[in-house]
Amino acid sequence: MASPHPSAAASRYRTLLSPLDLGPLTLRNRIVMGSMHTGLEDHPGDAGRLAAFLGERARGGAGLIVTGGFSPNRSGRLSLDGAQASEHLLRRHPRITQEVHEADGRIVLQLLHAGRYAAQPLAASATAGRSPLSPFRSRRLTRRGVSRTIEQFAASARRAVEAGYDGVEIMGSEGYLLNQFLAPATNRRRDRWGRGAEGRRALPLAVAAAVREAIGPDALLTYRLSLVDLVPGGQTWDETIVLARGLQERGVDVLSSGIGWHEARVPTIVTSVPRGAFVPLTAQLRREVDLPVIASNRLHDPDLAESVVARGDADLVSMARPLLADPHLPRKLAEGRSGQIVACIACNQSCLDKVFDHQRASCLVNPRAAHETELVLTPVVQRRARRVAVVGAGPAGLEAALAAAERGHVVTLFEASQEIGGQLRLAARIPGKEDYALALRSWRMRLASAGVGIRLGTRPSAEDLQEFHDVIVATGVTPRLVDLPGFAPQAEAPAAGPQVVTYQDLLEERAVAGERVAIIGAGGIGVDVAEYLTSPIPSATLDAATWREHWGVLDPSAHRGGVAARRTPPEAPADPPTDGRRAREVHLLQRKETKIGAGLGRTTGWVHRAELRRAGVVQHTGVAYERIDEQGLHLLEDGEERVLDVDTVVLCTGQESVTGLAAELLEARSGRLPRVHVIGGADVAAELDAQRAIRQAVEVAAAL
C-alpha cells in the first residue's frame, strides 16, 4: 500500500504500518480485520455482497482479513440456515478471494463450530446440556462424532484453500465448541477427550494437526485462542500456555487473542470496557510462545494500536469493528489522515445486536457497511452539483452534510447552538460512553476536509434558505414534557418540594441533581441518566485496573477462568459507597410492567442492568404518576398511593420532533423554493434512534 506521505506515516504509525512475514505470507501491515459475522456468510446468493464488503476493506489497506465463522458441519451451524463451509457454498467464494487479492489483500476463512451455542436442534458439545444462549439442549458428541468432527474441520479447510483463501483460522475461543472441550465446566467426559487437562485439549490439538495436514505448508493457519474464559470453571493460565505450545508444535502460524465466553458476566468489547484492557494478557502470551500473536478487544485507537505493537506486546492488532466503521482506516493512517477516520464507538447497535437477532449487520456510524452494493454514493459531475442546506448538526444532519458533500454537492450546515452533536453530544457525557465524543471529532475533521460550510449559532428561516436547491431538515428532538400538576420543568430549585428538570437540562449542566432523585421514564435515556448520577468518579472506563476490580476480573494464573465467583449486586446499598461513586438515592420509574432495560441492546443491556443493581438504583415498574408538590412525587404503585420524598425529578419521558422549520418550508412551498427532506428525529422521534437517523441521512444524500 503506497503512501503519498510516507514521512508522516513513518513518524507516527511506523510499526503498525510496517510489513510482516506471517507463516507463508507477507502482510503489507500489522492491521487485521478480525472475524465478524455479518449475515452475508449464510447464503450462497449473498456471495457478491460479501465480496463487495470484504473487497472494500482490502482496498482500504487491511493487512489480513478474517471472514465470519463457517461451520465444518451441520451440527456446528450457529442457526439452522447458518454458514457452513460446504462444497455448495464455497463454490461461490472464488469471487470473494479474487476481489481481495486484486486489491493486494490477504484473507483467511474462519472455521467455527458453535457447540452448545448453536441455536438449532442439531447442537452438539463435549457434554450434553444447554447454554444460556440457545433454546436447544445440546447432545453429547460420541467418540465417533468427535473423530468425524476432526475430519470435517480438515475437509472444510481444504475446500477453503481450493476456493482461493490464503489459509484458515480455527475458532477456539469465545466459548464455542473447542473452547467448551477445554473447560472443566463444560467437559465432564471420562474418555480420551476429557479426564483432565490433557484430555480436554486433545480435540483442539487434533483439529489443528488435521487442518495443517489438509491445507499443506503454503497456506496460513491461525488459531483464535481464549486467553481468559471469564466463566467459573474455565481454563487456568498454565493450561492455556500448554495448549498454545501444543498448537505451535502442530503447525499453527499465529495465535489470535480471544477474550471471554459469550455467556460471561463480564463485558469484553462494549464501549464501557477500557481501551486495551486485555493487552497485558496478550503480552504475557507473546513472552511464553515463539509465535506471532494478534491482540484484540477494544483496540479502536490507532495510537494505542501503534504503541501495543511498538512495545512488543503483540505482533499484529485486530481492529474488527473499526474496519466495519471505516474500511479505509489503514490507508488513511498511511496517508496522514488519521483525523478523518470514521470512529467506531463500540455501541454494538448495528453490528452484534443485529447478528444476534439474525439480521444483517451494519454499522451505526457507517450504514454502508455490508450494504455496499445497495447504498451507493455516486459522485456527481460539477455541472450537476446542487446547493444543499442541512439544518441541524446532530448525527443525522452531520452525516447528511458529509455524504452530500462527498458526492460533490455544495453543502452548508446550520446549527442553532454553538456545538455540533445534538443528542449524541449528551450521550458522550454518560460514564462508559466517553468514546462517543470520538465520533463527533471525526465528523468535524471530515466535514472540514469535504469543504462543508458550517454556521454555528445560526437558526435559518424559510426565507433564508430560498437560495438552495435542497434543504435537509435535521432539527432533531426536544424532551417531551408531562401534562400533570407540578411536572413543568423549573429553572431554579423551589423553596419547597422537588425541582423538576429534563434530562437535557441535567446533561448540559443547566441543572444539578440533589441527593434524592426520581427519574421518570426508564428507557435508554432514563437508564443512562441513572448511571450518570450513580457511577464511580472518575469513570471506571478510564482506568483498566479499576475496571477489572469493578467487574471481578482476576489473574487467570491464580484463579481458574480469571473471574471472581458470581455475585448478586444488592438492590440497595447498605452503606454509603466507598469506591468514589456518587452518594445518591436514585429511583428509576416506568409505567410499563416489564423489566426495566428490557428494550436495551442484546449485547449491552445486561451490562447496564448490572450497573443499576450494583449502584443500588431503586427500580419501580407499573407505576402511575399523579402530581408533584411540596411533599414530593405522588404516584400509584401496586394499587397503593405512595409519595417519594425526593429533591430532584428528572424527566426522561421521551422526545418530540422539532418540526417548525419543516412546516414553514412546506407551507411556503412554491416553484422557486427548494426541495425539502425531513430526516432523523425531526422525522420520527423514536427513542433517539441514531442508527435509523444516520442511515436515513445517507439514503437522502444518495438520492440528491
Side-chain angles (χ1 to χ4, degrees):
M1 179 178 59
S3 168
H5 303 288
S7 59
S11 63
R12 189 167 179 184
Y13 302 107
R14 176 187 296 111
T15 316
L16 189 63
L17 295 174
S18 63
L20 176 68
D21 291 330
L22 194 65
L25 304 181
T26 297
L27 305 185
R28 54 187 165 186
N29 58 50
R30 313 297 183 94
I31 298 173
V32 177
M33 177 181 159
S35 176
M36 289 181 296
H37 204 77
T38 65
L40 295 174
E41 299 84 359
D42 300 333
H43 305 293
D46 283 331
R49 295 186 178 94
L50 186 57
F53 169 70
L54 297 173
E56 185 78 4
R57 274 76 199 161
R59 287 188 291 276
L64 178 67
I65 293 171
V66 185
T67 70
F70 291 80
S71 175
N73 55 32
R74 292 182 64 194
S75 71
R77 293 181 181 182
L78 289 165
S79 62
L80 270 177
D81 61 350
Q84 180 181 337
S86 64
E87 184 177 351
H88 174 65
L89 183 67
L90 291 184
R91 191 180 298 128
R92 304 285 189 98
H93 280 224
R95 66 186 302 182
I96 296 172
T97 56
Q98 181 179 353
E99 185 94 8
V100 171
H101 291 150
E102 286 179 351
D104 198 27
R106 299 290 179 265
I107 184 169
V108 297
L109 180 136
Q110 186 187 76
L111 293 174
L112 180 157
H113 191 299
R116 66 199 279 266
Y117 282 174
Q120 43 102 346
L122 299 177
S125 185
T127 306
R130 191 171 71 84
S131 81
L133 305 185
S134 172
F136 297 95
R137 179 179 173 84
S138 64
R139 59 184 170 84
R140 178 186 182 273
L141 274 173
T142 65
R143 282 177 290 181
R144 175 56 182 153
V146 173
S147 298
R148 283 186 56 82
T149 298
I150 297 169
E151 295 167 2
Q152 289 159 341
F153 264 99
S156 298
R158 186 181 302 110
R159 284 193 290 268
V161 173
E162 290 171 353
Y165 285 98
D166 296 296
V168 295
E169 175 172 277
I170 299 170
M171 168 51 94
S173 181
E174 268 73 17
Y176 292 113
L177 178 73
L178 300 185
N179 212 172
Q180 292 161 23
F181 265 82
L182 289 164
T186 48
N187 185 348
R188 297 183 293 278
R189 302 175 71 102
R190 307 303 301 167
D191 59 11
R192 60 173 293 210
W193 306 109
R195 234 182 18 225
E198 183 177 356
R200 290 195 299 271
R201 61 177 168 264
L203 177 59
L205 293 177
V207 167
V211 168
R212 169 49 76 195
E213 182 178 358
I215 63 177
D218 297 328
L220 183 71
L221 177 55
T222 79
Y223 188 99
R224 190 160 172 86
L225 177 73
S226 180
L227 301 190
V228 59
D229 293 335
L230 298 177
V231 293
Q235 300 168 90
T236 67
W237 182 254
D238 287 344
E239 291 169 354
T240 299
I241 294 305
V242 172
L243 172 63
R245 291 170 177 164
L247 292 169
Q248 178 177 340
E249 292 170 0
R250 284 155 180 81
V252 169
D253 295 307
V254 60
L255 296 173
S256 180
S257 303
I259 304 294
W261 289 28
H262 285 314
E263 65 194 81
R265 293 293 88 185
V266 176
T268 57
I269 58 172
V270 301
T271 192
S272 60
V273 176
R275 301 180 197 173
F278 299 101
V279 166
L281 288 174
T282 306
Q284 190 173 345
L285 173 67
R286 191 172 185 269
R287 291 191 293 269
E288 299 274 4
V289 296
D290 188 24
L291 278 181
V293 174
I294 304 173
S296 69
N297 289 58
R298 290 292 284 139
L299 292 168
H300 293 56
D301 180 8
D303 290 331
L304 173 60
E306 166 66 22
S307 68
V308 166
V309 178
R311 285 196 310 264
D313 290 345
D315 301 275
L316 306 99
V317 172
S318 176
M319 304 182 80
R321 288 175 300 167
L323 283 163
L324 193 67
D326 194 334
H328 298 280
L329 182 154
R331 186 171 297 281
K332 288 179 179 179
L333 292 179
E335 294 174 352
R337 297 188 292 132
S338 60
Q340 296 176 32
I341 290 171
V342 182
C344 170
I345 58 176
C347 66
N348 290 352
Q349 291 179 39
S350 291
C351 51
L352 291 177
D353 285 351
K354 292 285 189 184
V355 170
F356 279 112
D357 284 332
H358 304 290
Q359 301 177 45
R360 195 197 312 184
S362 189
C363 176
L364 183 141
V365 293
N366 176 22
R368 294 193 64 245
H371 294 75
E372 286 80 7
T373 61
E374 299 138 272
L375 193 52
V376 181
L377 294 176
T378 307
V380 296
V381 295
Q382 186 173 0
R383 62 186 175 84
R384 292 187 178 275
R386 301 177 68 86
R387 295 189 303 276
V388 180
V390 180
V391 185
L398 292 169
E399 191 62 27
L402 182 63
E406 288 180 340
R407 288 194 62 206
H409 297 299
V410 180
V411 182
T412 304
L413 176 62
F414 298 88
E415 167 57 39
S417 72
Q418 294 296 330
E419 297 181 75
I420 68 169
Q423 300 288 316
L424 190 65
R425 177 169 50 86
L426 303 183
R429 296 178 178 174
I430 306 300
K433 292 187 175 180
E434 291 86 355
D435 274 6
Y436 282 31
L438 298 177
L440 298 181
R441 185 179 69 186
S442 168
W443 263 311
R444 287 190 199 98
M445 298 292 289
R446 289 181 289 143
L447 288 167
S449 176
V452 174
I454 303 177
R455 300 184 187 178
L456 299 177
T458 304
R459 193 186 301 272
S461 65
E463 185 69 23
D464 299 328
L465 300 170
Q466 290 187 30
E467 64 182 271
F468 295 94
H469 296 114
D470 292 86
V471 175
I472 300 175
V473 179
T475 44
V477 297
T478 188
R480 181 184 292 126
L481 305 183
V482 178
D483 187 17
L484 287 172
F487 272 79
Q490 304 154 9
E492 298 180 0
Q499 181 183 13
V500 179
V501 302
T502 68
Y503 71 88
Q504 192 162 348
D505 293 329
L506 184 69
L507 297 178
E508 290 189 338
E509 300 181 343
R510 293 192 296 266
V512 178
E515 294 183 358
R516 300 182 310 280
V517 182
I519 301 171
I520 307 298
I525 298 170
V527 170
D528 274 356
V529 168
E531 292 189 53
Y532 175 78
L533 294 173
T534 60
S535 63
I537 305 173
S539 167
T541 299
L542 303 180
D543 183 82
T546 300
W547 178 88
R548 284 191 286 266
E549 181 179 359
H550 184 69
W551 282 97
V553 178
L554 303 174
D555 182 354
S557 64
H559 301 270
R560 181 173 286 280
V563 68
R566 186 171 297 177
R567 301 165 296 171
T568 302
E571 290 298 326
D575 301 299
T578 58
D579 62 354
R581 188 177 291 115
R582 307 171 203 198
R584 283 194 177 95
E585 174 188 316
V586 175
H587 298 261
L588 184 56
L589 306 98
Q590 70 176 17
R591 288 175 170 157
K592 296 179 182 177
E593 295 184 355
T594 55
K595 179 175 64 176
I596 283 178
L600 299 177
R602 287 280 300 272
T603 61
T604 56
W606 70 270
V607 180
H608 296 295
R609 291 189 291 270
E611 293 288 24
L612 294 180
R613 291 193 300 271
R614 183 180 285 114
V617 173
V618 185
Q619 301 180 30
H620 306 256
T621 61
V623 302
Y625 312 114
E626 294 191 327
R627 66 185 182 279
I628 297 173
D629 59 21
E630 63 276 2
Q631 293 180 301
L633 170 62
H634 294 252
L635 51 87
L636 282 174
E637 187 173 11
D638 296 328
E640 297 182 1
E641 293 188 5
R642 184 176 179 185
V643 180
L644 292 183
D645 180 17
V646 295
D647 43 38
T648 309
V649 174
V650 183
L651 301 181
C652 300
T653 47
Q655 300 81 32
E656 294 179 345
S657 299
V658 177
T659 58
L661 177 62
E664 184 182 350
L665 285 164
L666 293 172
E667 183 178 349
R669 182 186 293 277
S670 71
R672 63 190 184 89
L673 282 173
R675 294 189 302 182
V676 179
H677 316 267
V678 184
I679 66 172
D683 178 36
V684 179
E687 190 61 31
L688 302 188
D689 190 349
Q691 179 185 163
R692 180 193 61 81
I694 293 173
R695 180 176 178 86
Q696 187 181 29
V698 176
E699 289 172 340
V700 167
L704 291 176

